[in-house]
Amino acid sequence: MESLTLISQSRSLSISSNLRILSSPNVSSTFIPKDVPYFKTQFLKLPGMATRNVIVSAAMSEKPWKRYSTGGEAKGFVDEMRLVAMTLHTRQQAQEGEMEAKAPEEQRVEEWEPTLDGYLKFLVDIKVVYDTLEQIIEKPSFPSDGEFRNTGLERSEKLAKDLKWFEEKGYGVPEASSPGVAYAKYLKQLSEKDPQAFICHFYNIYFANTAGGRIIAKKVAEKILDSRELEFYKWDGELSQLLQNVRDKLNKVAENWSREEKNHCLGETEISFKFYREIVRLMLS
């Protein structure tokens, strides 16, 4: 799985423009590969969120996550993003996961008990996030973000069709709630001042939906939708090729980044997980 199954026990996050990222070279963490002699780590702190250590570099190497790559080393910056993301899964969700499941949503998807009301909340909130992402890409503050227009991975129109179908069937579609609104606000802030951090979220959000998202969708559909496949999980064209095209674009954009900028992008992964997990958790409400 290339990115997130995105499930955890974290509580709703309030967004603040004063996100603090503090460097420390001497902190150990379960996320740090034990076979690397020196690490630069970051403390990521948001209001109401416990501080956690996240690896952003190992010996400042171009290949800091060698231990996790099935091929022996990262083959591009997208591979680095994927490898870092995998460590943030629970052991129940992925073989490479390093977190221990403590809450129901951190367990295997087969063990979930989703509700229809909760799933509608999820669809509404995740649409707010995709709407925001696609608006940002359409009129980007940084030219490099414009590379990701019309990739074929866009989801807003598909989600609109799904929500219309629910309405036509007589289901009450709720207003967007704080998890989706908060994440959209944060993405907008990043897009205006922090292109590396924004790309981290772009990657994790879109690639999560094509990997763990589809697994979740199948299991949820079996339990509460009579196995109906939503438009949200359908793509126009060959998905594998669409994903490869975006990987190539991401790698090309990252070629112009310094190692420090790449590490800054990677260091945003945990924040991406925490926001998205809040939205995924709505399914179980």
Side-chain angles (χ1 to χ4, degrees):
M1 188 165 103
E2 294 206 57
S3 186
L4 330 170
T5 307
L6 299 174
I7 310 153
S8 110
Q9 76 265 28
S10 62
R11 297 293 182 260
S12 296
L13 298 173
S14 60
I15 305 309
S16 170
S17 60
N18 62 345
L19 172 64
R20 296 191 297 150
I21 300 182
L22 307 177
S23 296
S24 171
N26 297 311
V27 180
S28 62
S29 166
T30 55
F31 298 133
I32 297 178
K34 296 179 175 59
D35 54 350
V36 180
Y38 171 78
F39 307 95
K40 179 180 178 183
T41 63
Q42 289 182 334
F43 290 83
L44 307 178
K45 186 169 180 123
L46 288 172
M49 182 179 95
T51 301
R52 179 173 295 174
N53 304 332
V54 179
I55 260 182
V56 293
S57 174
M60 300 303 289
S61 167
E62 287 293 328
K63 303 165 185 176
W65 285 280
K66 183 176 180 179
R67 180 164 76 93
Y68 297 106
S69 176
T70 56
E73 60 182 30
K75 298 177 176 63
F77 188 63
V78 170
D79 201 20
E80 289 189 43
M81 287 195 285
R82 181 183 67 82
L83 299 175
V84 173
M86 291 309 299
T87 68
L88 295 178
H89 289 74
T90 66
R91 295 183 179 91
Q92 288 78 3
Q93 295 164 359
Q95 183 177 357
E96 301 96 328
E98 297 194 356
M99 307 297 291
E100 192 63 43
K102 296 180 180 180
E105 64 270 11
E106 296 176 317
Q107 303 293 339
R108 298 170 65 249
V109 178
E110 290 80 2
E111 299 176 21
W112 287 14
E113 293 297 333
T115 67
L116 183 54
D117 286 344
Y119 196 53
L120 280 170
K121 292 177 184 176
F122 163 77
L123 292 174
V124 168
D125 274 36
I126 201 61
K127 185 177 185 299
V128 171
V129 173
Y130 279 108
D131 287 346
T132 300
L133 278 171
E134 289 162 25
Q135 290 164 10
I136 290 168
I137 294 301
E138 186 62 30
K139 295 181 179 180
S141 297
F142 294 91
S144 58
D145 292 340
E147 294 291 325
F148 302 101
R149 293 191 188 100
N150 303 318
T151 63
L153 298 184
E154 292 80 14
R155 296 292 88 195
S156 289
E157 290 186 8
K158 300 286 188 179
L159 282 162
K161 290 180 180 179
D162 287 329
L163 292 173
K164 183 178 180 181
W165 178 84
F166 279 107
E167 287 182 332
E168 290 173 348
K169 292 295 182 181
Y171 296 104
V173 176
E175 296 294 322
S177 59
S178 58
V181 172
Y183 197 6
K185 180 180 178 181
Y186 183 68
L187 290 170
K188 180 65 174 174
Q189 291 173 350
L190 286 185
S191 72
E192 294 171 351
K193 62 182 180 181
D194 195 338
Q196 285 78 34
F198 175 75
I199 286 296
C200 176
H201 290 266
F202 175 90
Y203 164 77
N204 280 305
I205 292 167
Y206 278 103
F207 279 66
N209 191 52
T210 65
R214 287 193 294 167
I215 296 172
I216 292 171
K218 185 175 185 296
K219 297 300 180 182
V220 170
E222 289 173 355
K223 290 188 175 184
I224 64 175
L225 295 176
D226 294 327
S227 296
R228 175 182 172 83
E229 184 181 9
L230 298 182
E231 295 297 315
F232 184 32
Y233 305 101
K234 297 178 183 178
W235 286 264
D236 298 325
E238 184 62 38
L239 179 57
S240 61
Q241 187 59 56
L242 296 176
L243 290 170
Q244 187 57 53
N245 292 343
V246 175
R247 287 190 200 99
D248 292 342
K249 290 178 182 290
L250 287 165
N251 282 329
K252 182 178 180 180
V253 167
E255 284 179 356
N256 298 319
W257 294 352
S258 67
R259 184 68 252 174
E260 183 178 3
E261 288 173 326
K262 291 178 180 179
N263 291 342
H264 177 60
C265 176
L266 297 173
E268 191 76 12
T269 306
E270 185 178 19
I271 298 175
S272 175
F273 265 63
K274 285 182 178 294
F275 274 116
Y276 203 99
R277 286 163 177 161
E278 293 294 326
I279 299 174
V280 170
R281 185 178 297 112
L282 293 171
M283 294 185 196
L284 307 181
S285 63

